[in-house]
Amino acid sequence: MVIKDPPLFGHVDRKLALSFGAVVLLLMLTSVGIASLLYADLQVKEEDRLSGALASILGKSISRVSFSGKYHARLLVEEMILQVSELAFISVETPEGLIIAHSNPSKNDTFVSITELQANKKCLEKNSLIISESSAQKTVKEVLVPYHGGLDAEILGVVRVGVNVEEARKVQSANMIKLLFLITFLTILAIIIVFILSRYFGSGVKMLANQLQGILDNSPALIYMKDKNGRYIFVNRQWTDLFHTTNEKIKGKNDIEIFKNDIGKQFMDNDRRVFESNSAIELEEQALVENTIHYYHSIKVALRDAATGEPYALCGFSNDITDKKNTEAELHKHREHLEELVNNRTNELAIAKDRAETANRAKSLFLSNMSHELRTPMNAILGFAHIMAHDSAITQIQKENLEIILKSGEHLLKIINDILDIAKIEAGKIEAEFSDFDLEQLTNDLLTMLRVRAEFKGLKLIMDQSSSFPKYVRTDQAKLRQIIINLVGNAIKYTNKGQITMKLYLMSAPDNKQYLSFEIEDTGIGIKPQDIEKIFIPFVQIGQHEGTGLGLPITQQYIKLLGGTINVTSKPGAGSKFAFSIEYIPANPSDIQKNQVTQGRVISIENADNYRILIAEDQPENRLLLKNLLTPFGFQLKEAINGEECIEMFKTWQPHVIFMDRRMPLCDGCSAANQIRARQESKDTAIIAVTAQAFKEDRQEMLDAGCDTFIAKPFMEDEIFNVLEKYLKITIVRDNMNEKTKDELNITSEQTIEMLKKLPEGLKNELTEALIRLNMKEIERIISVINEQNTALGSILSAYTNKFNYTPILNILKKISEEKL
């Protein structure tokens, strides 16, 4: 049997088939690898773009309501997470990592992790988006974006947004745009190769062409070829199935013959651009499928002759991106809805803000009016009572009656001041007035005063001061003084035996600020647990005790104003501990102004008759008060009952000093001062604002209008004489005690004790009570009365009280009282 060699064509056919299969396989593997990388990169970029856009929109939305505080930010975050289904979470964070608002409320007011805090800092440093990805249960794009707020649009923190891209990836992975485009393009090249080879190898190439046809038909993309005139040469099965036709029906037709005129014309215009271009063109096209518009992402390339470079056909492949477009449209719809919600909420907040500001202005006007209406009559009551008390012609009974008037008036003034202070605090009208001072001197002076009251009750008052406690500080001296007096005074008031201890030390804080810390601990009656929260409520009294119930509320607000906090621990029957801390700045000792020695009562004023003083005041009793105060010293005085009269008197009389009230008919004090200052001759006139409107803004308004200084009603005599001494060339003679010898000022001498014994019983009792209560104004008033009766005794008492040395005086008075018994 003879074995014949197989025909050559058969060998070639098999080799060609194997070679072509290998080439196609290699091209497919290569294209799959490259396309996978391209698709992954495209998918990540698209997700980053959409996530960044969404985060930016949410960041801007949050910035619009940043002025209204964390409550509204939290409401907005919770509404966002409900409205935008793609959000996994959203968090608003400060630069320090504190979570202000989180879609999960349990994370509010907590801190982020160290890794997240580092990412926050990086985002704020670059002032741009930072995008990362996590995949614990679902794939989430985490975006950090700065948000701004306030009038200066300063950066307030970061918004952390988690966008769930799990579902989007499932949709996008089905498309595989870049991957399938590349596979299709390489497959088309393989078809062309098969067509060329089929001229030489016949059936082998035809088989390979059938295989390639199978690949094209099973591709999810629409693949097609057109000739130079736009007529279809080939379409794959995906194309024919979509448009319900066949290759035979499509071949030789152009797009206008197949589709509606506008769509067909769009396709042919795009094809013309491809033939005119030297590179592939990527574009978005639309087609009508079953009366529904579908969107396609297409890549089209012109096939050119290798020899001439002339195009002879067009190859294109298109992927359906309708789902993606719908997703983007839905996202855009959510964004517009969210912006509408934000705008509505912003408008509501703006209206609420306007209402709050209107209410606040009304409250400020009410406080200003109340201050004026209450202080004005008190000025007259206390002022005339002081003047009458200095009159030597009044009887002893009249003096005692005046002392009762002064005592009751000053007590009423303290209540009025406390009520106005708590009202001003609630209206935000009290501000801290910082200054440098000697803290050690302040605490020692206060403890010296308070110790008198403690020892009178048989209590010990102890100060435990840390060695690191500073001597010179910068804070609000007056408010710190009032805080210590209120807390230690309360401790003495509610302690019947044992001791009160005040501890002073420094406290460090994470914010690198410095804090002064105070603890006032007593062995008194204590506070019930259910009553601790009530003690800081204005006008609330725990138990039956005297007072207005405003001391602790004012103390708490003062501490907050100074950047601090207060805490209370107590056990009924075992005592209480009040601990507070306030912020401070170390002060330079050289900048501290030492306290001046208290001046004595004015006896005479030299050169007073050379000066003209105009009193501009609509209340006759207040005009009379200033007139009676200044007339004995020889000043030339005139009165004006309104601002217009004041201006006319200035023009004709040219006073050296004008005491100007703030509220007057026809023309108020501000307008009058402004018009006077507009005249050249006013440069030699001092304008002193004297008004019961004692708020800081009222004071500044008077100063801005041209007043030289400000005195609040009710005023002390020394305040009037001090400004006259400052602005006039006069010499004021006071009953100072600088010439007294040590023996003359000895409170324990027999001569001094005898003088104290001869005082009226009522006056001795009032002095004892004032010393126990540490009522400095009352002590000063009583000594002033004593000074009129006995100048030597008044000088001795003043020498001790000016140094807050009350204990020796109180001991002598107690001894006299015991001897009488």
Side-chain angles (χ1 to χ4, degrees):
M1 178 173 141
V2 179
I3 301 175
K4 296 182 180 180
D5 293 330
L8 179 60
F9 186 83
H11 288 292
V12 173
D13 190 45
R14 287 193 296 272
K15 290 180 180 179
L16 179 60
L18 293 173
S19 300
F20 180 74
V23 170
V24 170
L25 180 60
L26 180 61
L27 289 175
M28 289 287 288
L29 292 175
T30 304
S31 62
V32 167
I34 297 173
S36 296
L37 295 175
L38 292 175
Y39 177 75
D41 181 65
L42 175 64
Q43 183 174 339
V44 171
K45 288 181 179 178
E46 184 66 11
E47 290 171 353
D48 289 351
R49 182 181 69 82
L50 293 176
S51 300
L54 178 59
S56 297
I57 292 169
L58 298 180
K60 290 178 181 177
S61 300
I62 291 171
S63 297
R64 294 181 185 177
V65 297
S66 62
F67 69 89
S68 59
K70 64 170 68 173
Y71 173 75
H72 295 93
R74 290 175 180 176
L75 288 180
L76 183 57
V77 165
E78 292 175 5
E79 194 162 4
M80 287 175 177
I81 200 71
L82 293 175
Q83 294 294 334
V84 184
S85 59
E86 289 78 11
L87 287 179
F89 65 86
I90 181 168
S91 173
V92 183
E93 302 164 6
T94 66
E96 293 78 19
L98 177 64
I99 298 176
I100 300 173
H102 199 284
S103 55
N104 182 357
S106 64
K107 295 187 178 182
N108 288 337
D109 297 322
T110 62
F111 285 88
V112 301
S113 65
I114 296 177
T115 304
E116 292 173 333
L117 181 59
Q118 291 173 348
N120 288 1
K121 291 181 178 179
K122 184 177 179 182
C123 173
L124 292 174
E125 289 173 358
K126 292 185 176 182
N127 192 21
S128 63
L129 292 170
I130 293 182
I131 302 175
S132 60
E133 182 177 312
S134 62
S135 55
Q137 294 179 347
K138 292 184 178 181
T139 305
V140 175
K141 285 286 182 178
E142 188 173 286
V143 185
L144 293 178
V145 59
Y147 79 98
H148 306 72
L151 295 176
D152 298 327
E154 64 178 345
I155 294 177
L156 299 180
V158 298
V159 175
R160 184 185 304 275
V161 178
V163 181
N164 185 1
V165 296
E166 184 77 19
E167 296 300 325
R169 287 194 175 178
K170 289 180 180 179
V171 174
Q172 291 174 349
S173 62
N175 296 324
M176 294 289 286
I177 298 173
K178 293 285 185 179
L179 176 61
L180 296 177
F181 288 161
L182 183 58
I183 294 172
T184 305
F185 180 74
L186 294 175
T187 306
I188 292 172
L189 288 179
I191 293 172
I192 296 171
I193 294 173
V194 170
F195 285 165
I196 296 173
L197 293 177
S198 65
R199 298 181 183 179
Y200 303 99
F201 304 107
S203 61
V205 175
K206 184 177 180 179
M207 183 180 66
L208 292 175
N210 290 333
Q211 293 175 350
L212 183 57
Q213 180 71 48
I215 295 173
L216 296 176
D217 286 341
N218 289 283
S219 171
L222 305 180
I223 304 172
Y224 45 88
M225 288 184 65
K226 302 177 185 178
D227 63 18
K228 193 173 181 180
N229 296 318
R231 300 187 179 278
Y232 281 90
I233 300 172
F234 163 83
V235 293
N236 70 341
R237 184 184 300 168
Q238 186 74 11
W239 200 101
T240 58
D241 290 346
L242 180 65
F243 295 108
H244 305 291
T245 186
T246 63
N247 243 310
E248 290 70 20
K249 294 179 180 180
I250 292 300
K251 285 181 181 178
K253 294 183 179 180
N254 60 30
D255 291 306
I256 295 179
E257 295 172 326
I258 299 172
F259 302 102
K260 287 186 176 181
N261 187 63
D262 54 343
I263 296 177
K265 189 174 183 303
Q266 173 201 351
F267 288 158
M268 297 193 72
D269 289 340
N270 292 337
D271 294 345
R272 190 177 300 108
R273 290 169 51 202
V274 175
F275 283 120
E276 293 172 356
S277 174
N278 291 324
S279 60
I281 291 181
E282 188 173 350
L283 44 82
E284 186 177 298
E285 294 179 314
Q286 299 177 8
L288 190 64
V289 180
E290 296 179 348
N291 297 322
T292 302
I293 294 294
H294 279 234
Y295 298 89
Y296 293 89
H297 184 274
S298 301
I299 294 179
K300 296 182 178 182
V301 61
L303 303 179
R304 299 181 181 274
D305 186 273
T308 63
E310 288 296 321
Y312 61 88
L314 176 145
C315 179
F317 46 98
S318 303
N319 254 292
D320 193 335
I321 58 171
T322 304
D323 290 339
K324 177 185 173 184
K325 294 287 289 186
N326 290 338
T327 301
E328 290 180 350
E330 189 68 20
L331 183 60
H332 181 71
K333 180 180 178 182
H334 285 309
R335 181 181 66 186
E336 289 181 341
H337 179 60
L338 184 60
E339 288 180 348
E340 181 182 357
L341 290 175
V342 171
N343 290 334
N344 292 338
R345 182 58 56 85
T346 301
N347 292 334
E348 291 173 0
L349 292 175
I351 293 172
K353 181 183 177 184
D354 290 341
R355 290 176 179 172
E357 289 176 349
T358 301
N360 198 42
R361 285 193 296 270
K363 183 184 286 188
S364 299
L365 180 60
F366 171 77
L367 290 176
S368 180
N369 291 335
M370 288 301 296
S371 175
H372 181 272
E373 296 301 325
L374 292 173
R375 292 175 187 269
T376 297
M378 288 304 303
N379 181 62
I381 293 170
L382 295 178
F384 279 112
H386 276 295
I387 291 175
M388 293 176 66
H390 295 162
D391 189 353
S392 59
I394 63 175
T395 65
Q396 181 61 34
I397 295 177
Q398 289 174 329
K399 284 186 177 181
E400 292 176 356
N401 291 340
L402 285 172
E403 289 169 7
I404 294 173
I405 292 173
L406 285 169
K407 179 179 179 182
S408 300
E410 289 172 355
H411 180 66
L412 178 58
L413 180 61
K414 182 180 184 303
I415 294 175
I416 291 171
N417 288 337
D418 284 346
I419 293 174
L420 290 175
D421 280 348
I422 199 69
K424 285 190 288 184
I425 288 171
E426 292 178 352
K429 294 297 181 181
I430 283 191
E431 297 179 1
E433 298 181 6
F434 297 102
S435 62
D436 298 335
F437 63 94
D438 188 334
L439 178 59
E440 181 179 344
Q441 178 182 338
L442 174 67
T443 53
N444 287 337
D445 289 346
L446 290 178
L447 265 292
T448 300
M449 289 191 303
L450 294 164
R451 189 171 283 113
V452 175
R453 186 174 171 186
E455 291 176 351
F456 183 79
K457 291 187 68 176
L459 305 173
K460 290 183 180 181
L461 180 56
I462 302 170
M463 182 169 68
D464 182 4
Q465 180 174 324
S466 169
S467 59
S468 61
F469 201 70
K471 179 176 174 60
Y472 301 106
V473 299
R474 179 175 180 80
T475 185
D476 191 319
Q477 181 180 7
K479 291 182 177 59
L480 177 57
R481 177 189 182 91
Q482 191 62 47
I483 291 168
I484 295 175
I485 289 176
N486 286 353
L487 293 179
V488 178
N490 269 4
I492 296 173
K493 179 179 179 180
Y494 296 111
T495 302
N496 297 319
K497 61 179 180 179
Q499 65 183 34
I500 295 95
T501 303
M502 184 168 75
K503 296 182 180 180
L504 314 176
Y505 58 94
L506 289 179
M507 185 180 73
S508 58
D511 54 7
N512 294 325
K513 294 180 180 178
Q514 296 176 290
Y515 291 86
L516 300 171
S517 294
F518 301 79
E519 288 184 6
I520 294 89
E521 187 172 5
D522 62 59
T523 57
I525 61 176
I527 308 170
K528 296 178 181 178
Q530 64 268 27
D531 291 335
I532 288 181
E533 293 183 0
K534 300 178 183 178
I535 62 176
F536 293 111
I537 301 175
F539 304 107
V540 173
Q541 283 275 34
I542 306 301
Q544 299 297 323
H545 301 288
E546 62 178 8
T548 61
L550 293 174
L552 285 176
I554 291 174
T555 298
Q556 183 188 48
Q557 294 300 324
Y558 279 175
I559 291 171
K560 288 182 179 179
L561 189 64
L562 300 184
T565 57
I566 182 170
N567 296 302
V568 184
T569 56
S570 182
K571 184 177 180 181
S576 305
K577 181 168 72 173
F578 287 74
F580 72 93
S581 298
I582 61 170
E583 187 180 346
Y584 84 101
I585 300 174
N588 190 337
S590 61
D591 297 333
I592 306 297
Q593 296 182 352
K594 302 300 181 182
N595 293 331
Q596 297 180 350
V597 178
T598 303
Q599 298 172 319
R601 189 168 63 90
V602 176
I603 299 174
S604 64
I605 300 177
E606 297 178 6
N607 303 322
D609 54 350
N610 295 332
Y611 294 99
R612 298 179 295 278
I613 297 178
L614 176 60
I615 302 171
E617 166 70 62
D618 63 324
Q619 298 292 329
E621 59 271 20
N622 287 323
R623 293 198 305 272
L624 183 60
L625 173 60
L626 276 173
K627 185 178 179 180
N628 289 348
L629 186 63
L630 299 175
T631 298
F633 302 103
F635 289 105
Q636 303 176 50
L637 300 175
K638 283 192 176 183
E639 303 174 33
I641 63 174
N642 56 58
E644 289 185 356
E645 191 173 311
C646 174
I647 296 170
E648 292 303 318
M649 285 189 178
F650 169 79
K651 294 177 182 178
T652 59
W653 196 47
Q654 295 291 303
H656 297 92
V657 174
I658 300 175
F659 286 107
M660 182 80 74
D661 187 27
R662 169 68 175 84
R663 297 179 66 177
M664 293 186 292
L666 300 182
C667 176
D668 65 16
C670 285
S671 299
N674 204 4
Q675 294 182 49
I676 291 172
R677 284 300 180 211
R679 304 182 66 86
Q680 181 65 28
E681 60 269 26
S682 70
K683 66 181 188 309
D684 296 325
T685 299
I687 304 178
I688 313 301
V690 183
T691 177
Q693 290 180 276
F695 289 169
K696 187 175 181 180
E697 55 267 30
D698 297 321
R699 181 192 319 170
Q700 190 59 47
E701 187 178 4
M702 292 293 287
L703 295 177
D704 292 341
C707 295
D708 294 280
T709 190
F710 181 97
I711 296 177
K713 295 177 184 177
F715 52 76
M716 302 295 293
E717 294 179 8
D718 279 345
E719 294 181 86
I720 300 297
F721 292 122
N722 286 341
V723 296
L724 291 177
E725 192 172 27
K726 178 179 179 180
Y727 292 104
L728 300 179
K729 295 180 180 179
I730 58 176
T731 301
I732 296 181
V733 180
R734 293 179 170 87
D735 60 347
N736 291 325
M737 299 159 289
N738 298 332
E739 305 294 329
K740 303 294 181 180
T741 64
K742 183 176 181 180
D743 292 337
E744 291 176 318
L745 298 178
N746 186 0
I747 191 68
T748 59
S749 67
E750 292 184 4
Q751 182 180 2
T752 304
I753 295 174
E754 287 300 317
M755 289 190 289
L756 281 170
K757 287 180 178 180
K758 294 178 181 179
L759 285 176
E761 196 65 29
L763 200 59
K764 282 189 292 185
N765 292 338
E766 289 185 7
L767 179 59
T768 302
E769 185 178 353
L771 289 170
I772 293 173
R773 291 179 173 273
L774 295 178
N775 189 335
M776 290 171 284
K777 289 186 177 180
E778 182 69 4
I779 293 170
E780 181 182 346
R781 182 192 66 79
I782 295 171
I783 292 177
S784 176
V785 173
I786 294 173
N787 190 67
E788 294 175 1
Q789 300 177 8
N790 189 328
T791 304
L793 179 59
S795 299
I796 295 172
L797 294 175
S798 297
Y800 279 81
T801 57
N802 288 343
K803 297 179 180 179
F804 306 111
N805 191 8
Y806 301 149
T807 305
I809 303 175
L810 193 57
N811 289 338
I812 295 298
L813 291 172
K814 289 172 63 178
K815 183 177 180 182
I816 293 173
S817 178
E818 291 170 357
E819 288 178 356
K820 184 177 179 181
L821 292 175

